[in-house]
Amino acid sequence: MNLFRVRGILLSVHFTFFLLLAVVAWDGWKGIPEEGAVGGWVGVAWNIGILMAFFTCVVLHEFGHSFTAMHYGVGVRRILLMPIGGMAEFDSIPREPAKEFLITLAGPAVNFAIALVLMVAVGVPQGWPWTTHGYTADAAGFGRLLLTWNLAMGLFNLVPVFPMDGGRIFRALLATKLPYVRATFIAATVGKVLAVAGAAAALFGFDAPLTAVLFAFIFFAGEVEYRAVKRREIEDAYWRAAMARIYPITPIPDEPPVLR
Ligand SMILES: [Zn+2]
């Protein structure tokens, strides 16, 4: 479902997002009796409010990527919101490590900026972030939940594996010294090794099969990224060769969209 445009970027919501909304609303209706949460319509309003605030921060994170990309002349088609997070669709990503580094870093940077503002605004309880007793059902508690969540989102995205921002940042750093495809190969391989280790720990150490599935997803995301970069490299070579035969001067090819 398409919502609205900001600076030409279309904001869309995937239909599964509404399933998440329903689940979260139902959770709020039931409340958490052992923690004294009220439930009912107040619970619904609280949970929906928190979810909307979370996803507003997800959108701001994607705007961080998008506006930085636009600064470098990269077109941004839309931002798609899904239950697992947001995704900005770019026309192309410049294969210039410095630009890719800054475009990617801008997302987590937005989360850290929001966290900092909230920290000043609502303060943090003693023992934060290892305690939950600051998360009271009032404006300050709301702010602290949002603060913790932004910090978690910023840090999680910096984990150096594809498809997280950290994987791209890692690749960009490698690509300052290595060819782009080689840098992607190394970043994807490191991600895969970490994913296998994580899956093994989840299965045998923590007995958490769902977490192991997440690591499997991360493993294949690394493979997908490497194959996409490799394929682009081969296609670009064919394209250049074909164009060189047709035109005396090679025009800039119209590139396929890049997801992130
Ligand atoms: Zn991001």
Side-chain angles (χ1 to χ4, degrees):
M1 192 182 83
N2 297 334
L3 297 182
F4 49 83
R5 284 182 182 275
V6 178
R7 291 182 65 188
I9 308 166
L10 181 66
L11 187 66
S12 311
V13 178
H14 195 256
F15 80 94
T16 48
F17 182 82
F18 295 100
L19 298 178
L20 177 70
L21 207 62
V23 169
V24 165
W26 174 242
D27 259 6
W29 178 264
K30 283 187 303 182
I32 310 165
E34 59 269 30
E35 287 180 20
V38 281
W41 289 115
V42 178
V44 172
W46 174 267
N47 273 20
I48 296 285
I50 289 278
L51 187 77
M52 289 304 180
F54 281 177
F55 273 87
T56 301
C57 295
V58 170
V59 171
L60 293 175
H61 171 112
E62 297 302 331
F63 277 156
H65 292 309
S66 303
F67 293 163
T68 313
M70 286 159 78
H71 174 75
Y72 290 119
V74 176
V76 183
R77 297 174 189 191
R78 66 167 183 168
I79 291 171
L80 178 63
L81 280 184
M82 294 168 291
I84 53 160
M87 189 173 72
E89 293 174 12
F90 296 84
D91 286 340
S92 67
I93 290 294
R95 282 194 180 183
E96 292 165 62
K99 287 182 184 175
E100 188 174 27
F101 178 81
L102 289 174
I103 291 170
T104 312
L105 195 65
V110 167
N111 293 114
F112 294 133
I114 296 171
L116 196 67
V117 169
L118 286 171
M119 199 178 281
V120 172
V122 295
V124 289
Q126 191 131 42
W128 180 85
W130 314 115
T131 173
T132 54
H133 60 240
Y135 304 135
T136 45
D138 53 19
F142 192 97
R144 286 184 197 122
L145 263 180
L146 207 56
L147 157 59
T148 306
W149 196 79
N150 270 285
L151 196 67
M153 185 180 171
L155 289 175
F156 178 72
N157 269 292
L158 288 182
V159 177
V161 299
F162 294 112
M164 261 83 86
D165 292 333
R168 292 169 195 285
I169 291 170
F170 184 34
R171 187 242 315 267
L173 291 175
L174 291 170
T176 57
K177 296 266 178 279
L178 299 167
Y180 197 76
V181 177
R182 185 82 196 138
T184 304
F185 177 76
I186 293 172
T189 303
V190 169
K192 284 182 194 172
V193 170
L194 289 175
V196 169
L203 276 181
F204 305 116
F206 298 94
D207 195 24
L210 272 181
T211 311
V213 171
L214 180 77
F215 280 113
F217 172 70
I218 288 170
F219 182 93
F220 289 111
E223 183 64 23
V224 166
E225 177 69 23
Y226 174 65
R227 285 190 189 182
V229 167
K230 185 87 185 155
R231 193 176 58 233
R232 270 278 297 283
E233 187 89 343
I234 293 166
E235 279 171 6
D236 284 358
Y238 275 123
W239 180 251
R240 273 193 302 271
M243 283 298 133
R245 276 197 294 274
I246 299 165
Y247 300 105
I249 299 166
T250 312
I252 296 159
D254 189 18
E255 293 178 282
V258 177
L259 306 179
R260 92 164 24 198

